[in-house]
Amino acid sequence: MNQKRIKGTESLFHNSSEYLHKIWVKDFSRILILIPVLVLVLSCTEKPSESPSTQSPNILLIVADDLAYADLGSFGGDIETPNLDQLAQEGIRFSRFHTAPLCAVTRAMLLSGNFNHVAGMGSQGLVTGIPGYEGHLSDRIAPLPALLQEAGYHTYMAGKWHLGETPETNPAKKGFEKSFALLVGAGNHFSGRGIFEEFPEAPFTENGEKTSWPEETYSTDFYTDKLISYLESNQNDGKPFFVFAAYTSPHWPLQVEEKYWKKYEGKYAHGYEKQRELNLESLKKAGMISPEAILPPLHPRVKPWDSLSPEEQLKEARKMELYAGMVDNLDHNIGRLIRYLKETGQYENTLIVFLADNGAAAEDFYYSDDYGPFLQENYTDSYEEMGKENSFISYGPQWAEAGAAPFRYFKGYTTEGGMNAPLIIAGKGVESKGKINSAFLTVMDLAPTFYELAGVAYPDSYQGKPVQKPAGESILSLLRNERDEIHDSTYVFALEHRGRALLRKGNWKLVNVESPLEVANFELYDLSKRLDEQENVKELYPEKYQELLLDWEKWSKSVGVRFPTPKPGEGL
């Protein structure tokens, strides 16, 4: 009986093993079939975004068009800019940041890190075959967005391009993955109507293709919408972004919704001369200028406020109300970008840089010989229509002088008023909070800063051609509170545009405001003593004057300064 049980048990074990073997073989076959499917599924599954500590820093570059030095609340201005003021509290305000004297010139230097002649914008509005005067980004530089794109960044822009109108010079060919660009220097803020005779319809492209302005949209609102849509399109792929918010506000024509300018109604009835004095004192109180700073004489083009009729004064005050409304709206939209970054968890890993592209704008083309006839035929300057889509208004040299306090002159000049612009930097890598830095910086320093932040090595050649290294220097060590200044007393910064020129070396400044350029017209100022450029000391310091003249001669030859004939007009 025991033997039967043993045989039965052996039989049961054998049958069970055979059964289990069949099951294992069958299931293993299924597993083998499923492995490729699992691999495919896993490869298609969206990878989680990198944590802010491991992802490369994002960069948000915001440029205001023709914003004056004294406008922002954090700089002492009386226009409501709460979002930019908060950004200033979280970062650093720079009181001696220098751009170029005109829009396109600054943009060429900004996106190249080099001098304007090296970058191809020796004369805004002039397109030639002469090196330095191509009228677009030259092949002597590697464009900032292109290098960041090659480093794995998403690159987006919306707003004013002004660096070429041909397909070859479009943002889409300079490294921007997505772009909505106004190709020329200015446009109607409410529609696609042109403001220049050669462009009766303003030229826009999206991603390199011709497009039109959407109806019932306002420029600053729409550019912000577009940038947020670009960011949303690749939000969770783990790649960093470089965003260029190239706003066209508060550039003329002064146009904005009534709800933005109404809050300033009556605020500027005291006139531009009084406003200039108020700005001087508020800048001192904010710590942006020395308590001893004084105002230079007004530009000869400025009419005394008291010489205006009551009707003229009303119209002048409305100009400033509209301008303030545009700045107010600009701040609102910058706040929208910041809120988006916070809501999506990207704010802590983003370096935010805000600047103006030049000094306050004094052009008033509605009454000019070159642009006036077209503008007067297609727009109105009547008081009742001011600020609307059919209105063309500029605030002119009178209000530009107020916004440029305490500096001499305004946009278009190589004086401090034309080039000393607001700069605020906050966010990733900025250690100081609420600090004011008075070190001399230029717009050429920003591209090298972004390269260091992103770990990008500037190449010796780009697209098969040798390129020049940036003339600016990274300011990351300054942002990290490791240094107080970047450029020492031997650093030479120079610029020429349409005969107006400057050379800066330490606190010494060689400057010419006359055109055409005559070396004998250069003046010498010691900016460590005064910022108003009123005490010409070239007779007191002849050796220093000659030293800087030699520096000028060397620099101008190195970049290829020439004097081709520009287009008519005062610049855009």
Side-chain angles (χ1 to χ4, degrees):
M1 186 173 178
N2 290 338
Q3 289 179 349
K4 288 182 179 180
R5 286 181 178 176
I6 291 171
K7 288 181 179 179
T9 302
E10 289 176 348
S11 176
L12 178 62
F13 181 80
H14 176 77
N15 292 337
S16 298
S17 299
E18 188 176 47
Y19 175 72
L20 289 171
H21 176 73
K22 289 179 180 179
I23 291 176
W24 186 87
V25 170
K26 184 177 182 181
D27 288 348
F28 185 70
S29 300
R30 289 175 179 171
I31 291 170
L32 288 174
I33 294 171
L34 286 172
I35 284 174
V37 178
L38 289 169
V39 170
L40 181 63
V41 169
L42 289 172
S43 67
C44 293
T45 302
E46 186 178 280
K47 295 180 181 179
S49 299
E50 294 181 75
S51 67
S53 60
T54 59
Q55 184 186 353
S56 297
N58 304 311
I59 301 167
L60 172 57
L61 174 61
I62 307 170
V63 176
D65 201 354
D66 287 357
L67 179 77
Y69 183 82
D71 287 339
L72 304 179
S74 62
F75 276 59
D78 60 7
I79 302 173
E80 294 180 22
T81 55
N83 294 296
L84 285 169
D85 296 348
Q86 181 60 36
L87 202 66
Q89 286 302 308
E90 296 176 8
I92 306 174
R93 283 164 287 168
F94 294 88
S95 62
R96 301 296 172 264
F97 169 70
H98 288 69
T99 62
L102 284 175
C103 326
V105 188
T106 290
R107 290 158 203 273
M109 297 166 72
L110 174 64
L111 297 181
S112 69
N114 221 314
F115 296 111
N116 61 310
H117 288 80
V118 175
M121 197 59 68
S123 181
Q124 179 171 306
L126 182 66
V127 180
T128 75
I130 301 172
Y133 300 87
E134 293 92 340
H136 56 78
L137 291 177
S138 75
D139 59 8
R140 295 180 297 281
I141 59 94
L144 166 66
L147 296 186
L148 290 177
Q149 187 179 46
E150 290 177 2
Y153 274 69
H154 288 301
T155 52
Y156 311 131
M157 80 147 289
K160 177 171 164 178
W161 179 238
H162 208 190
L163 291 172
E165 299 151 20
T166 65
E168 296 77 19
T169 61
N170 193 271
K173 296 294 185 180
K174 300 300 177 182
F176 281 107
E177 175 186 340
K178 295 185 179 182
S179 61
F180 190 101
L182 170 64
L183 301 182
V184 295
N188 192 303
H189 291 281
F190 282 114
S191 73
R193 291 174 65 183
I195 58 176
F196 305 116
E197 187 172 7
E198 59 267 43
F199 297 105
E201 290 293 322
F204 294 94
T205 61
E206 183 161 24
N207 304 330
E209 301 295 326
K210 184 178 179 181
T211 189
S212 56
W213 185 255
E215 293 183 6
E216 299 183 0
T217 57
Y218 180 71
S219 60
T220 316
D221 299 339
F222 175 73
Y223 292 138
T224 305
D225 291 342
K226 186 59 70 172
L227 289 173
I228 290 174
S229 72
Y230 289 161
L231 285 165
E232 287 177 335
S233 67
N234 296 298
Q235 183 177 313
N236 296 314
D237 65 0
K239 293 178 64 174
F241 62 74
F242 168 65
V243 165
F244 182 25
Y247 289 117
T248 54
S249 185
H251 194 291
W252 46 260
L254 302 181
Q255 298 171 327
V256 70
E257 287 183 79
E258 187 176 288
K259 67 178 181 180
Y260 288 103
W261 69 259
K262 267 289 186 179
K263 66 175 73 173
Y264 301 98
E265 193 169 20
K267 190 175 183 65
Y268 303 105
H270 49 244
Y272 35 76
E273 290 162 308
K274 180 63 176 178
Q275 185 63 36
R276 189 174 185 237
E277 295 172 0
L278 293 173
N279 286 346
L280 177 72
E281 295 308 314
S282 63
L283 286 163
K284 290 179 181 179
K285 186 176 180 179
M288 302 308 298
I289 59 174
S290 166
E292 287 77 41
I294 59 175
L295 292 171
L298 288 165
H299 193 280
R301 288 167 55 194
V302 178
K303 296 179 181 179
W305 179 261
D306 291 342
S307 71
L308 304 182
S309 68
E311 291 77 18
E312 288 174 324
Q313 289 182 350
L314 275 176
K315 192 171 184 179
E316 284 296 327
R318 177 59 49 83
K319 290 179 181 180
M320 190 59 202
E321 292 164 8
L322 291 169
Y323 176 88
M326 293 180 75
V327 176
D328 193 303
N329 170 267
L330 173 67
D331 181 82
H332 166 73
N333 278 284
I334 291 170
R336 291 178 58 205
L337 286 175
I338 291 172
R339 281 193 297 277
Y340 173 80
L341 295 179
K342 289 181 176 180
E343 290 169 359
T344 55
Q346 300 178 88
Y347 183 76
E348 297 298 327
N349 196 46
T350 302
L351 179 74
I352 303 176
V353 177
F354 171 84
L355 67 140
D357 61 352
N358 45 242
E363 307 102 330
D364 198 349
F365 286 157
Y366 193 85
Y367 304 104
S368 74
D369 294 335
D370 300 313
Y371 300 105
F374 175 81
L375 292 173
Q376 292 167 23
E377 183 179 345
N378 291 276
Y379 289 89
T380 179
D381 72 335
S382 71
Y383 180 77
E384 292 74 21
E385 298 298 305
M386 288 175 69
K388 298 179 182 179
E389 188 265 347
N390 64 329
S391 168
F392 191 98
I393 293 291
S394 310
Y395 75 5
Q398 54 275 23
W399 289 108
E401 283 277 42
F407 306 123
R408 179 187 180 194
Y409 298 162
F410 33 70
K411 175 184 175 182
Y413 285 93
T414 48
T415 57
E416 293 298 286
M419 300 176 62
N420 198 336
L423 171 68
I424 299 172
I425 303 181
K428 184 71 173 181
V430 180
E431 298 300 327
S432 299
K433 308 295 180 186
K435 181 180 177 182
I436 299 172
N437 184 284
S438 59
F440 172 73
L441 299 177
T442 85
V443 69
M444 299 188 303
D445 296 324
L446 295 178
T449 303
F450 300 154
Y451 293 143
E452 184 179 358
L453 188 72
V456 172
Y458 194 86
D460 294 322
S461 63
Y462 178 72
Q463 294 185 340
K465 295 184 178 181
V467 291
Q468 295 191 29
K469 297 291 185 185
E473 298 179 31
S474 170
I475 65 171
L476 270 192
S477 59
L478 191 152
L479 299 180
R480 292 168 179 162
N481 217 18
E482 299 167 354
R483 297 169 63 183
D484 293 325
E485 59 183 12
I486 295 299
H487 304 298
D488 64 21
S489 61
T490 65
Y491 178 76
V492 171
F493 169 73
L495 184 141
E496 182 277 332
H497 186 266
R498 298 186 186 176
R500 292 172 178 164
L502 75 91
L503 185 139
R504 178 77 180 259
K505 190 176 185 180
N507 286 315
W508 297 98
K509 181 178 180 181
L510 201 66
V511 65
N512 174 74
V513 298
E514 304 296 332
S515 186
L517 176 62
E518 296 278 350
V519 173
N521 290 332
F522 269 120
E523 302 163 350
L524 179 66
Y525 297 101
D526 180 1
L527 296 183
S528 69
K529 305 296 184 184
R530 295 174 60 174
L531 292 174
D532 58 355
E533 296 172 287
Q534 292 301 298
E535 189 178 355
N536 182 7
V537 296
K538 73 177 182 180
E539 301 296 336
L540 292 175
Y541 300 96
E543 291 183 359
K544 180 60 67 174
Y545 182 64
Q546 291 300 319
E547 175 191 332
L548 267 61
L549 283 179
L550 289 174
D551 288 331
W552 166 259
E553 183 179 357
K554 180 180 178 181
W555 177 86
S556 60
K557 286 182 179 178
S558 71
V559 301
V561 172
R562 304 190 195 182
F563 300 102
T565 304
K567 288 183 180 180
E570 301 171 76
L572 310 178

